[in-house]
Amino acid sequence: MAQIPDNHDRNTIVVKIEDEMRGAYLDYAMSVIVGRALPDVRDGLKPVHRRVLYAKYDRGNFYNKAYKKSARVVGDVIGKSPPHGDTAVYDTIVRLAQSFSMRYPLVDGQGNFGSIDGDSAAAMRYTEVRMAKVADEIMSDLDKETVDFGANYDDSLTEPRVMPSRIPNLLVNGSSGIAVGMATSIPPHNMTEIVDAAVALIDDPSIDTDGVLKFVKGPDFPTAGFAFGGQALRHAYRTGRGNVTMRGKAEIEAFKGDRERIIITELPYQVNKAKLIEKVADLVKEKRVEGISDLRDESDRTGMRIVIEIKKNENANVILNQLYKLTQLQDSYGIMLLAIHNGQPRIFNLRDMIWAFIEHRKDVVTRRTIYNLKKAEARAHILEGLKRAVENIDEVITLIKAAKGPDEARASLMGRFEFSDLQAQAILDLRLQRLTGLEREKIIEEYRLILKLIEELKTILGSEKLVYEVVRKELLEVREEYGDERRTTITIDEATDFEVEDLISDEDTLVSITHTGYIKRSDPREFKSQNRGGKGIRAVTT
């Protein structure tokens, strides 16, 4: 603490600037880490993603309802939540709708939402959105007290702190974000594989990461392509950090007789197609890649197709290796399995990340069962009163007819039959048609079924094993509904670094050495031996 001058205001606290800066920066850093840049391990969402989806849920913008203008959703988010800018919120919506960014898009967009060439989306006033069907699963049972709600920035509304999420969203859609002093980079995966791994973990919680990797082959990128498995990928999943090498899908085909061309139909994840083509063109201009005669983009609405025509007598395999080496046709994805867990950032291995989701689902199922039990018991209480009323219907009607008003009728029923206030009111609200024989049977049957339901719910709550069984059953339903075939091909070949020999065509060459020590390599096709008395074609040049 600094010395306070004699003439200083005694109500003022003097603080060292380095202490103030240190404390303020730590507060800022934690705010960015927990409240902005990193996803929650339970639902895989950052706060802005959660607010966008909740704004759609609150407005009823479901997958089976009409599209709403994007600007309406953006307005809802920035009006009810902390000060996100409208551009940031709309960019979030756009990314959630892009099939080349999300393995399972959470937003169903109508209009121009950008392209793999890096084209930006149309303005928010021109596009329309609604939730994708899979996003409905993220908010399933949100109205059944399954998660905690908290106040928004001005305490005028509440919003969920996490989503119930029936799908393992963090792993199937991945996430990336840069916080203060840390960053997350989680690749997308295949829904079927992640669910199978989760089911195996529920069946046998002792399974380690290597056991989980029997089900999860590796990342499954929305843009397909190839990913190299092997030890590097296994290390990343075991430790939570590492790299995976990606490669586009390229095939060599013959055309015009003896010529060849390279056809690229899939790209590594997050590679801009237009910039890739521009890079190839620059390499040809700079003569760093020789042997390409033509380059064009034939992509259309049916799929991607980049055509690279090779000059006659050039080796297409060598040129393809050069493109892998010098462009993003082969790229790497840094893996960092970092997410928020119990309010703190934590690096997970693959097994623990899946288990954290399972534990979240266990908590959600438990809370939902408790909610359903309360509702069932409240309904059973009413039905018990109605059942006793219809069994003594003549006396009940006489009591009601004799009463001077509703309050007296309620009091008479409560005094005579010991009904509760709720039961008595339900009897007074009973419609006359419910007094027919068939309707009375329905009341009795509903009471029987509700008692059976209460027994089942209590049984589930009394057994942790049964709670996990419900989680398992719902995961299998998710797999049945949304599981699909893997897009990215995983190859165990790890030879992704090219030797010099891989970039040079295997062909005959001619080496000339002069008597003064100069050496030159020449193409044999350009060399012609001179017969006696003949005239030379050209002299040797350096």
Side-chain angles (χ1 to χ4, degrees), residues 449-465:
L449 292 175
I450 208 82
L451 289 178
K452 182 181 178 183
L453 175 61
I454 289 171
E455 189 63 32
E456 290 174 356
L457 294 174
K458 285 182 176 178
T459 303
I460 291 172
L461 288 173
S463 168
E464 186 178 68
K465 181 180 178 182

Side-chain angles (χ1 to χ4, degrees), residues 390-408:
V390 297
E391 288 172 349
N392 301 278
I393 191 63
D394 293 332
E395 189 176 354
V396 167
I397 291 174
T398 301
L399 275 173
I400 294 172
K401 287 172 67 178
K404 293 180 180 179
D407 292 339
E408 186 180 327

Side-chain angles (χ1 to χ4, degrees), residues 35-36 47 51 77-85 89 151-154 159:
R36 186 171 292 267
R51 286 165 183 148
V77 175
I78 64 176
K80 297 175 181 177
S81 303
H84 296 291
V89 173
N152 70 337
Y153 74 101
D154 64 354
E159 58 186 17

Side-chain angles (χ1 to χ4, degrees), residues 440-474:
R440 280 185 286 176
E441 285 298 320
K442 285 183 179 180
I443 290 173
I444 295 169
E445 177 64 14
E446 185 184 355
Y447 182 60
R448 185 185 66 79
L449 292 175
I450 208 82
L451 289 178
K452 182 181 178 183
L453 175 61
I454 289 171
E455 189 63 32
E456 290 174 356
L457 294 174
K458 285 182 176 178
T459 303
I460 291 172
L461 288 173
S463 168
E464 186 178 68
K465 181 180 178 182
L466 288 178
V467 174
Y468 279 120
E469 190 59 38
V470 174
V471 174
R472 185 183 190 278
K473 175 175 172 287
E474 292 180 354

Side-chain angles (χ1 to χ4, degrees), residues 136-155:
D136 202 47
E137 304 291 350
I138 289 180
M139 288 169 285
S140 175
D141 301 321
L142 188 58
D143 58 343
K144 295 183 178 179
E145 299 177 0
T146 51
V147 294
D148 293 333
F149 278 66
N152 70 337
Y153 74 101
D154 64 354
D155 290 341

Side-chain angles (χ1 to χ4, degrees), residues 45 53 96 102 104-108 131-132 134-135 138 169 173:
L45 299 173
L53 293 178
L96 293 178
M102 304 288 287
Y104 301 90
L106 302 182
V107 170
D108 179 9
M131 277 195 287
V134 69
I138 289 180
N169 182 57
N173 270 323

